[in-house]
Amino acid sequence: MNRGRLVGIAAITVTSVLWGTTGTAATFAPGAGPLAIGSAALGIGGLLQAVIAVPALRAERTALCAQRWIVIIGAGAVAVAIYPLAFYSSMHSAGVAVGSVVSLASAPLASGILERVVDRRPLSRWWMLAAALGAIGSTLLCVAKIEDQTGSAFDTVLGIALGLVAGITYATYSWASHRLMSGGISRGASMGAVFGGGGLLLIPVLVLTGASLLDSGQNIAVTAYMALVPMFFGYLLFGYGLTKVSASTATTVTLTEPAIATVLAVLIVGERLTALGWAGLVVIAGVLVILALAPTNAGPISDAAEISRRRSPESAARADKAQTEGGKPAVDA
């Protein structure tokens, strides 16, 4: 087992735990709508990512401009802006457990398809097994919670549809961030550009919908927690993890998020979980074991240097430098 890959999986697992608290945290700001919560959490968190990455962004602005279709148009920032709006709206319509399960369970499959079709990267049998088990475990959780749903069938279907949008956009910006780092752009510049751009796109939504977040000290505290801890600190860890594992592996590891969200909903919010739901949690735990012990699905970021060589001489030089400095891009933030 590659030690660096294990550290990357551990970092993304911690991220998943932090992300898993967001649904429960949102229940402590009941007057705030999902658009307000989503735009505040990732809008503010994304801008903070850009602020700490200013030196890296300045140093690599030419390289980022050369990859602007990934940073903004093709994937990154737009997907970052859409994701929280769809994710929190999904939980609002279908419930915390169902919304988070559908969103996170669909992401690994979308991420795997992106890597296979766009990057032409083969997907190992171990990853396919982990993704399949993750989907099964998440489905068990989802079915267990739908059985307890008190809302309308329309709300549930709408929440599931929004969850699929969230899963696709989450996979897309994860792939975009990893693709930038694979091209020799540093972790700080890659994450700062993608999430800073997404944060900027979310600010108008926050201005239009965020008045309720200032209604009470509790709402302000919830907003500050979600922006600083799961979103800002969580995505710092997520970016680090992406330097160690592929985007498809990263999104598969984050299948632990709905499991954490469900456990917290049971322990804190008072939701009930059936035997079927607990079985789903056990299956998802098995996914982490497989990913931690199985051979790597793809090499670390340095193995993708050949991709960067096909883009431009400048990116090739950066990739070669990354190779000589230890097999991964330099960390600026």
Side-chain angles (χ1 to χ4, degrees):
M1 177 67 199
N2 182 283
R3 187 174 184 276
R5 183 169 181 267
L6 187 60
V7 171
I9 288 175
I12 295 172
T13 301
V14 173
T15 300
S16 300
V17 173
L18 295 177
W19 288 350
T21 66
T22 58
T24 298
T27 64
F28 290 94
L35 298 183
I37 289 287
S39 59
L42 203 44
I44 297 171
L47 290 179
L48 289 175
Q49 289 273 358
V51 168
I52 67 167
V54 166
L57 291 170
R58 287 176 175 170
E60 304 204 44
R61 59 184 179 274
T62 302
L64 289 168
C65 287
Q67 301 295 331
R68 58 186 174 275
W69 73 273
I70 294 179
V71 176
I72 300 175
I73 302 171
V78 173
V80 168
I82 295 173
Y83 168 74
L85 305 181
F87 179 58
Y88 288 100
S89 295
S90 174
M91 290 194 294
H92 180 76
S93 295
V96 171
V98 174
S100 59
V101 164
V102 173
S103 300
L104 276 296
S106 57
L109 302 179
S111 186
I113 291 171
L114 273 171
E115 289 184 4
R116 186 70 185 91
V117 174
V118 180
D119 293 337
R120 300 183 183 275
R121 175 178 294 174
L123 300 171
S124 74
R125 293 179 180 178
W126 287 107
W127 177 85
M128 292 180 185
L129 174 62
L133 287 176
I136 291 170
S138 296
T139 299
L140 291 175
L141 269 177
C142 192
V143 170
K145 296 308 296 182
I146 286 178
E147 289 177 352
D148 290 338
Q149 281 292 100
T150 57
S152 69
F154 174 79
D155 287 340
T156 301
V157 171
L158 176 61
I160 290 173
L162 290 169
L164 291 174
V165 172
I168 292 170
T169 51
Y170 167 45
T172 301
Y173 70 69
S174 299
W175 170 85
S177 301
H178 188 273
R179 181 70 176 263
L180 291 172
M181 288 184 272
S182 296
I185 297 175
S186 70
R187 173 167 58 97
S190 298
M191 298 295 286
V194 169
F195 285 89
L200 284 175
L201 293 175
L202 285 167
I203 292 303
V205 182
L206 178 59
V207 171
L208 292 174
T209 64
S212 59
L213 298 174
L214 303 176
D215 285 347
S216 67
Q218 181 168 308
N219 283 7
I220 294 173
V222 168
T223 302
Y225 168 77
M226 294 180 69
L228 295 175
V229 181
M231 297 299 114
F232 175 60
F233 181 64
Y235 275 106
L236 286 179
L237 286 175
F238 186 71
Y240 175 77
L242 282 176
T243 67
K244 305 295 184 181
V245 301
S246 66
S248 59
T249 298
T251 53
T252 305
V253 172
T254 54
L255 284 171
T256 53
E257 178 186 342
I260 296 297
T262 300
V263 170
L264 290 176
V266 171
L267 296 178
I268 298 177
V269 182
E271 294 186 5
R272 186 172 63 88
L273 190 62
T274 64
L276 191 64
W278 288 111
L281 292 179
V282 172
V283 173
I284 291 174
V287 170
L288 277 181
V289 174
I290 290 173
L291 290 174
L293 299 180
T296 180
N297 174 51
I301 279 180
S302 58
D303 290 345
E306 184 60 33
I307 295 175
S308 68
R309 289 188 178 89
R310 292 196 290 267
R311 296 187 194 132
S312 70
E314 182 182 358
S315 60
R318 287 195 307 275
D320 289 336
K321 182 179 178 181
Q323 286 275 57
T324 61
E325 290 180 354
K328 61 180 182 298
V331 176
D332 291 343

